[in-house]
Each structure stands twice: as structure tokens, then as C-alpha cells.
Amino acid sequence: MYILNGRVGKDRVLGKPTSRSISVVDYILCTANILCKVDDFEVSDFCNLFSDIHAPLCLSLTVNGCNDTQGESEVNNDKNVHIGKWKHEKTIEYKNNIDVDKVNELLLNVMSKYDDISSVDQGTVDSIVSDITTVLLSAAKDTFGVFTKNSKNIGREGNFSNKDWFNKECES
């Protein structure tokens, strides 16, 4: 998920307040698949016709010209496949599972872009972010494991299969 406030369109870098002109309490969230379709975003000026304290949020999306697979991670290709929950006691193992060679390769790639900043465009940034995500997700898979949620159990009350204490004995 991505927060668009302060990052996209006319609101980029500004992060204009959304409530009482002093704080941001209203957000536009989107997935990577939608992010590539965002054309513009802005926080409009407050108008008491629309709200008592909130400024209107204006979002423009482009429907055509977007690659639907952009931004999808390997894990998200199957909606029932998930990485195990974060466990603080595995922090060191997670750090050790980060592929240092890939990180160094990414660092060199970023530094080469810094040397020729005029060649950097949105696609370049998206590619770098995707590569970093892949490295971190890979370490998370190796550390916390990957599991598949059975579609018939998703959303069913009393489903404890994702709890740490739930094991094979509980299924019988």
C-alpha cells in the first residue's frame, strides 16, 4: 500500500493539511497496480459547503497506457500465498538472510544513476524500488516462511490456522 499524500501530483512534497489547515488526517491509499494509473492528486482548499473541518481530496486516474503487472511482487502473484508473521526474536536471522551481494549490486546501480541524474525517470525509480522489495521479501520468506491460505478458510470465523499455537494436532 502507498500513501499518496505529499508524494504525488500537485500535493507532491507539499503534504498539504487535510483538516483544519493544521494536520493530515485524510489519506488516499492505493496499491502498486493503481499507483501507475495515478495522474494527479491534490488537497483542495477547505470549503464549508463540503465538510465541517475537512478539505476535499481530488484524485485523477488514467485508465489506459498502464502495464497491469507493474509493481507486483513475486509473493502477490498468488493471492493465497503469504509470508509468515514478523517475529522479533528472528530479527538477526532476517538481517543475515538479506543477500548482501544483491544489496551491493543495487547500491552500485543507484550510485551510477546518481552520476547521471538526468537519465532517471519514474520507470528507473520504480525498478530500483522493485529490486529492493524483492531482496527484502526474499529474506522475509527465508526467515519467516511462506504459507498458503486455503480459499475455503479465508474469512471463516474460528479459523486459527495463522496463529502461532495452531499446529497439526489442532486440525485432528
Side-chain angles (χ1 to χ4, degrees):
M1 294 297 275
Y2 299 93
I3 297 174
L4 300 185
N5 299 57
R7 295 185 174 146
V8 177
K10 293 180 182 116
D11 197 46
R12 186 179 198 152
V13 183
L14 298 174
K16 189 173 173 184
T18 63
S19 178
R20 298 186 185 195
S21 299
I22 56 172
S23 62
V24 177
V25 297
D26 304 295
Y27 298 92
I28 297 284
L29 303 175
C30 73
T31 63
N33 292 339
I34 300 298
L35 184 61
C36 66
K37 297 177 183 182
V38 173
D39 186 46
D40 194 17
F41 169 72
E42 73 175 305
V43 177
S44 295
D45 293 328
F46 171 77
C47 175
N48 60 4
L49 179 65
F50 298 117
S51 174
D52 55 344
I53 62 170
H54 300 275
L57 304 181
C58 300
L59 177 66
S60 299
L61 300 172
T62 301
V63 179
N64 298 324
C66 181
N67 178 355
D68 287 337
T69 60
Q70 181 177 347
E72 287 186 5
S73 70
E74 176 185 328
V75 170
N76 290 332
N77 288 338
D78 183 352
K79 298 298 181 195
N80 293 329
V81 176
H82 302 275
I83 296 174
K85 290 182 181 180
W86 177 268
K87 294 180 181 171
H88 184 69
E89 62 272 11
K90 290 191 168 194
T91 301
I92 293 172
E93 182 181 345
Y94 174 75
K95 288 179 183 178
N96 290 336
N97 282 335
I98 294 174
D99 187 337
V100 177
D101 293 333
K102 293 262 189 201
V103 171
N104 287 332
E105 183 180 315
L106 286 169
L107 184 58
L108 288 172
N109 184 23
V110 169
M111 294 307 291
S112 73
K113 302 300 181 203
Y114 180 77
D115 292 339
D116 185 17
I117 201 78
S118 63
S119 70
V120 175
D121 60 6
Q122 188 64 48
T124 304
V125 174
D126 290 346
S127 176
I128 291 169
V129 169
S130 178
D131 291 345
I132 292 169
T133 300
T134 300
V135 169
L136 297 177
L137 285 175
S138 178
K141 287 185 220 174
D142 293 344
T143 306
F144 307 110
V146 177
F147 64 95
T148 304
K149 283 189 178 178
N150 187 339
S151 60
K152 68 181 181 182
N153 292 334
I154 294 175
R156 194 177 82 192
E157 284 191 45
N159 179 15
F160 300 108
S161 62
N162 62 344
K163 303 295 182 189
D164 292 335
W165 52 264
F166 190 88
N167 59 31
K168 295 286 183 197
E169 291 176 15
C170 297
E171 291 178 359
S172 0

